[in-house]
Amino acid sequence: MAEALISIRDLTVALPPGADRAHAVDGVSLDIPRNEILCIVGESGSGKSLTAHAVMGLLPRGVTASGGQILFGGADLLRQRPEAMRKLRGRDIAMIFQDPMAALNPVVNIGQQITEQIRAHRGIGEKEALQQAAGLLAEMGLKDTKSLLKSFPHQLSGGQRQRVMIAMALSLSPKLLVADEPTTALDVTTQAQILKLIKRIQSEREMSVLFITHDFGVVADMADRVAVMRQGRVVESGTTTEVLSNPTHSYTRALIAAVPTGECDLPPPPPDAVPLMAVTRLSKRFRRGGFFSGASAIAAVDNVSLTLSRGETLGIVGESGSGKSTLARCVIRLLDPDEGEILFDGADIARMGARGLRPLRRRIQMVFQDPFSSLNPRETVGDIIIAGPRAYGEDMREASRRAADIMRLVGLNPETMKRFPHEFSGGQRQRIGLARALMLKPDVLIADEPVSALDVTVQAQVLKLLDDVRQQMNLAMLFITHDMRVAAQVCHRVMVMRHGQVVESGPTREIFAAPSSDYTRALLAAIPGRGLLAAV
Amino acid sequence: MNRLSYIGARLVKTVLITVAVVLLSFFLIRLAPGDTATVMAGQAGFADEAFMKSLRAEYGLDQPVPVQLWKYLTAVAQGDLGMSFVRRQPVLDVILERLPNTMLLNAFALLVAIGGGVLFGMFAARRPGSAGDASVTVLSMLFYAVPQFWLGMMAMLVFSVWLGWLPPFGIETMGADYTGLARIADIAVHMILPGVTLALYFMASYARLTRTAMIEVADQDFVKTARAKGISEGQVAHRHILRNALIPLVTFAGLQAAILVGGSVLVENVFSWPGVGTLAYEAVTTRDNPLLLGIFIVTAVLVSLFNLATDIAYSIADPRVELGR
């Protein structure tokens, strides 16, 4: 192993009193090697992110490094004065974050955000700093750097923003780049580009990278060395090939096993099924402007057709802005489609009024992406899942009895029904969301990115649950996701969408084996760690 | 839609709003019992039926209401707000003579309120929960709750009567006939008591608003980015935290600038400030309906313009906001 740039020794990070545990990081020792990429991989609550923040000297308020050392060039970073740490930050150690939109100041232009860092450490003028900034942006593969410098973050795409963040971090040629889940908020194809970019600049500039991720696929693509963290401790570490090919700790094995490989072994859809739902040439446009200026319309869903049968799962795959969620919202009639028809059990619901829809609403239910904001925090779980049947006039006692059954079905203890949503974990809340939908005995279940906010191991459990429920209740499921790997796990058929249009559709196995469009090929190629993990 | 056509559309709306205000106030004023003629007759000391009749004829008060309304509307459309019954001067001239005084007082009060509010808010947000934060909170609650006229009278009592530091009322020293810089200084000294009294209430709410916004923004990711860049804490506070925390303040200050125009009636009267506020009070007590209507209209136009200015200021403060979207 190469000589260490930074040595973390017995790092302990204490949480404020009253937290669910005393230490978020508990005796972590790690060497960040020179000129290599070290990945720390772990699920939420593993302490991986706080370890990275401790290196930066940027622990959140109330959280302190209570023990250990972080040695950098002979000095212990935990015992530096704030002013000395400030001078180090940005110059020797730089950091990029998960969500580049949130990480950039929305009201200061890009140029100023880069130059203020350069000028804080080097006594040069604004003009010279701007020239350097333009050079950095070009190095990150960005074009038209002059106008980019004058732009504001909201005017850029997600990928551009993260490139700007990286340019900023590299502006003083730091020895270490700390990257905290830098691609988690990005689309798959953008993620692949950013990962490639980080890898390229790491080798060109011969610097060290501390890369935090929850995704073993990303580890396989990026890391020279890897450390697996769980509940504040390092459970396993070594070179990437060692850990991936011969994981010794059971948790590491579970994590690797939980990563969907993108290989599809689901059978093709049952033949000659009569579709329960048939959507034909559906379009939805959003308008903007009006009064004095000319109005313009954006086709969010453009001429989309699909069929859905009982007992099958149709995956709708696309990146952000592809129209997949708008399509779902039209199908469930939360939005009014502009054109096309939605035949559901023989009736066209595309233009049906509220009165006609009401008896049908019960039969099409939805599970949402964010398990935190989709449950009313002021109602108990029992009230939340009983509200639906009660609204359709079901007897209170009958509804409560069924609620207990459904709670058991989704793997929750019925006695927890008196609790409030915040007392449950993300995975448990997603189960509550599913229970709420199932209480109405739906025929169609629309799952809008149901696992993208969850940890990988939890993700696998929820996906399995969804598939079990579909089989037991003979549901037709519309599964919306941006993640090809997840689609491969649960969908019989997939439909790939881009810019509101269908790029291609067909049985999942066929599409994964022989994609017919360039876009689908690009999506498949962008799956992180595909080759490496599949070989393991 | 570009900024200019947006402003054009808003100006059209301002005209519509003004017409609505004219109609509404025209009828509202008529709900009060009595009219100018009864008040003038009362002042004159006798109420001869023929005298009342001639007065009403002189001011057109004997005409049917719709005729009076039509006459008034067409006149306003031509920029003629009518004659003041009591002062026997064109209403517009009377208002325009007083308006600069009110604007001056309000601008000063707004500056004091924003400046003081932001400073106190920043101070309180530095250490949430500290003694300094608590005292700012208590003080702002106090100024928020105490009636302005009482505050004004107490300020007058302490600073003018007991301490003798500041003049108690008026806009300048009577009969001193200062000119040039001396006059400006004289007016400035007179402005302090009413201006600060007017400002305190708003300063209190700005301090609370700034404090909350600063604490909220300080937790955002881009503040962490700023620290990760190694820039100084002062720069983090100013460029990143304060700059974003001030955005909600722009909306608030714009709304309150509009409120100030009408809200200075009490304070102007307490300090005998010769502005539109005292004028409005006189117009009410003397039943000078044309003058009162004129004040309503001018105030409504000003409020609309203030709102427009707020929206433009907002789009400058926050580049994500595009006018007309």
Side-chain angles (χ1 to χ4, degrees), chain A residues 291, chain B residues 9-23 304:
Chain A
F291 210 59
Chain B
R10 283 290 298 263
L11 289 176
V12 171
K13 281 183 193 160
T14 301
V15 172
L16 294 178
I17 290 170
T18 312
V19 172
V21 167
V22 172
L23 287 174
S304 295

Side-chain angles (χ1 to χ4, degrees), chain B residues 217-240:
Chain B
V217 173
D219 273 340
Q220 302 215 343
D221 279 359
F222 60 79
V223 177
K224 199 162 69 178
T225 308
R227 295 218 165 89
K229 290 181 195 176
I231 59 177
S232 69
E233 276 302 307
Q235 269 183 307
V236 173
H238 285 106
R239 180 173 284 176
H240 295 281

Side-chain angles (χ1 to χ4, degrees), chain A residues 86 103 105 113 116 121, chain B residues 225 227 229-230 239-240 244:
Chain A
R86 178 186 76 72
N105 188 335
Q113 295 199 49
E116 76 171 343
H121 296 278
Chain B
T225 308
R227 295 218 165 89
K229 290 181 195 176
R239 180 173 284 176
H240 295 281
N244 278 280

Side-chain angles (χ1 to χ4, degrees), chain B residues 143 150-169 189-197 200 271:
Chain B
F143 290 129
W150 186 83
L151 204 64
M153 290 192 300
M154 288 304 116
M156 204 192 281
L157 189 68
V158 174
F159 294 103
S160 306
V161 181
W162 292 351
L163 297 172
W165 290 352
L166 295 165
F169 43 74
V189 169
H190 277 82
M191 194 160 62
I192 292 176
L193 273 185
V196 171
T197 305
L200 276 174
F271 292 98

Side-chain angles (χ1 to χ4, degrees), chain A residues 72-386:
Chain A
F72 173 68
D76 181 1
L77 295 187
L78 294 179
R79 275 158 198 80
Q80 295 295 309
R81 302 158 74 94
E83 183 59 16
M85 260 328 265
R86 178 186 76 72
K87 284 194 174 138
L88 209 76
R89 274 200 298 269
R91 192 189 64 200
D92 292 332
I93 311 174
M95 188 164 185
I96 57 174
F97 301 92
Q98 176 169 344
D99 181 358
M101 181 71 214
L104 288 165
N105 188 335
V107 302
V108 176
N109 72 33
I110 301 294
Q112 274 183 40
Q113 295 199 49
I114 301 178
T115 56
E116 76 171 343
Q117 173 165 5
I118 301 175
R119 296 186 63 192
H121 296 278
R122 276 190 203 141
I124 60 171
E126 182 72 19
K127 219 173 177 180
E128 202 185 333
L130 270 175
Q131 269 173 8
Q132 290 185 12
L136 283 160
L137 291 178
E139 192 190 337
M140 296 310 123
L142 289 164
K143 296 192 178 67
D144 201 8
T145 52
K146 262 229 173 77
S147 65
L148 207 55
L149 288 171
K150 291 192 192 95
S151 311
F152 290 92
H154 71 278
Q155 295 164 325
L156 313 185
S157 70
Q160 285 177 317
R161 280 180 214 132
Q162 198 59 294
R163 282 171 203 265
V164 167
M165 280 297 292
I166 297 171
M168 202 150 81
L170 297 181
S171 58
L172 295 147
S173 305
K175 298 187 178 78
L176 173 68
L177 175 69
V178 180
D180 188 3
E181 302 253 16
T183 57
T184 310
L186 304 176
D187 275 329
V188 244
T189 47
T190 317
Q191 159 167 307
Q193 291 163 10
I194 297 290
L195 290 179
K196 214 180 261 173
L197 173 68
I198 293 176
K199 193 120 182 137
R200 192 192 87 210
I201 49 171
Q202 184 272 327
S203 67
E204 277 175 10
R205 291 179 169 236
E206 299 189 344
M207 58 177 187
S208 306
V209 174
L210 177 62
F211 196 104
I212 311 294
T213 181
H214 66 279
D215 188 338
F216 248 108
V218 172
V219 173
D221 278 354
M222 295 294 291
D224 297 305
R225 305 183 65 81
V226 57
V228 183
M229 280 186 75
R230 187 194 192 190
Q231 291 169 4
R233 293 200 171 90
V234 175
V235 296
E236 180 162 4
S237 66
T239 65
T240 309
T241 32
E242 265 168 32
V243 173
L244 278 179
S245 58
N246 190 20
T248 52
H249 197 279
S250 58
Y251 179 68
T252 314
R253 281 199 289 273
L255 267 188
I256 295 175
V259 178
T261 55
E263 301 297 301
C264 176
D265 51 5
L266 272 172
D272 69 81
V274 183
L276 177 67
M277 180 178 269
V279 174
T280 320
R281 304 174 76 82
L282 194 80
S283 292
K284 174 73 191 170
R285 285 178 291 274
F286 290 112
R287 284 169 191 83
R288 60 202 295 182
F291 210 59
F292 274 73
S293 72
S296 60
I298 296 161
V301 172
D302 191 3
N303 209 359
V304 170
S305 302
L306 62 89
T307 60
L308 188 62
S309 309
R310 278 187 201 277
E312 80 161 336
T313 302
L314 170 64
I316 298 178
V317 186
E319 298 189 293
S320 50
S322 63
K324 57 188 193 300
S325 283
T326 308
L327 174 64
R329 270 154 217 274
C330 285
V331 168
I332 201 171
R333 281 299 309 276
L334 288 174
L335 287 174
D336 299 329
D338 294 316
E339 279 158 40
E341 63 176 21
I342 305 168
L343 277 181
F344 174 63
D345 214 6
D348 182 8
I349 62 168
R351 250 164 290 282
M352 201 176 264
R355 191 184 294 258
L357 270 176
R358 193 166 148 74
L360 297 174
R361 287 230 184 257
R362 186 187 63 75
R363 299 175 59 194
I364 311 175
Q365 286 300 310
M366 193 154 177
V367 177
F368 298 91
Q369 170 171 5
D370 184 352
F372 294 87
S373 64
S374 57
L375 298 174
N376 185 341
R378 285 178 189 80
E379 280 186 23
T380 65
V381 168
D383 288 342
I384 289 171
I385 66 179
I386 287 171

